[in-house]
Amino acid sequence: MYTPAGLCATFISFFGFFKLNQWLNSELCFIPVPTKYAGSTRYKWSNAVGSFIHATLVSLLGAYCMYQTPEYFTERVLTTTTLGEIIIGIFAGYFIFDSVDLVKYQGIQATWPVVLHHVVLVSVGLGYFLYHHQLVGYGMLACLIEINSIFLHGRLLLLMYGFSKTSLVYRLNSVFNIITYLAFRMGCLVLLIPMVMDDCERISSFWCYWFRVTAVTLLVINLILFYRLIRSDLITKSNKGIDNDNIMVPNNNHVNGKSH
C-alpha cells in the first residue's frame, strides 16, 4: 500500500515543477533568458532549466541517501527508508510533469524517446517501488544516473546561452558529460540487468518480466542517445544550430504547428 510520504512527494514534485515552469515563463523570472528564447520558444529554455534543477536535486539527495543507508547495496529488495521513497516520489512527479510539458509544446513524434523513458520509470516507481515498498535501492541507483543528466542538460543550456562548441567551458562540460554518461548512466544500467536477474526469484513473475523489459528498454534508449551525443560533440565540428544539437529528440521538424 502507498504511504503518505511517497504520494505526497509525487504530488508536491508535480505541482512544484509546474509552478517553477510557470515562473520561468513569466515576467517575474529574474534569470536572464537567452535572446533566441525570449519569444515563442521560451518553453524550450524553461524546460531545460527545470530538467537541470531536477537532475541536480535528485542526484544529490540520492547520493546522500545511499551514503546514509548502505544496506541499499546489499539487501536491494527489502531495504527502504522514508527519504528513499520521497526521492522516488520526486522522480515520479517530475517525470509526469515533464512528459505532459514535452508533448504539449513539442508533440509526441519529436519527444517519444524521452516520454517513453519517463513512462517506463513512472510505471516502475509508482507501480512497484512505492506501492510494495521494495526494490527502492533500484530507484537510488537511478539517482546516480541523474549525475550525468546534470551535464547533459547543462550542455543544452550552454548552447542556448551561445557558448561555442570550441569554448573551454563547453569542452570541459563535454568531457564530464561523456565520462559520467559511461560511468553512471551506462554503468548503472549495465549493473541493473544482472541485479534484476538475481532478484527476480523474490518478486512476482509479472514484475520480474516487466523489470527485465524496463532494463533492456532503458539500455537501448540510452545507447541511441549516446550515439547522438558522440556524433554531435565529437564528429560534428561546427555548430549547426542549437535545435539540431538537442540529442534528446530524434528530429526537430514542425510538430502540431509548433517549431521545436
Side-chain angles (χ1 to χ4, degrees), residues 3 10 60 73 95 114 125 150 160 183 191 194 199 223 229 257:
T3 58
T10 302
L60 291 176
F73 293 101
F95 284 154
V114 182
I150 297 174
M160 287 182 167
L191 285 175
D199 295 332
L223 283 172
L229 176 64

Side-chain angles (χ1 to χ4, degrees), residues 176-198:
F176 284 109
N177 197 3
I178 293 174
I179 291 175
T180 56
Y181 204 108
L182 293 172
F184 292 101
R185 186 173 293 273
M186 297 305 300
C188 289
L189 288 173
V190 169
L191 285 175
L192 188 61
I193 295 176
M195 287 169 55
V196 170
M197 300 297 290
D198 289 341

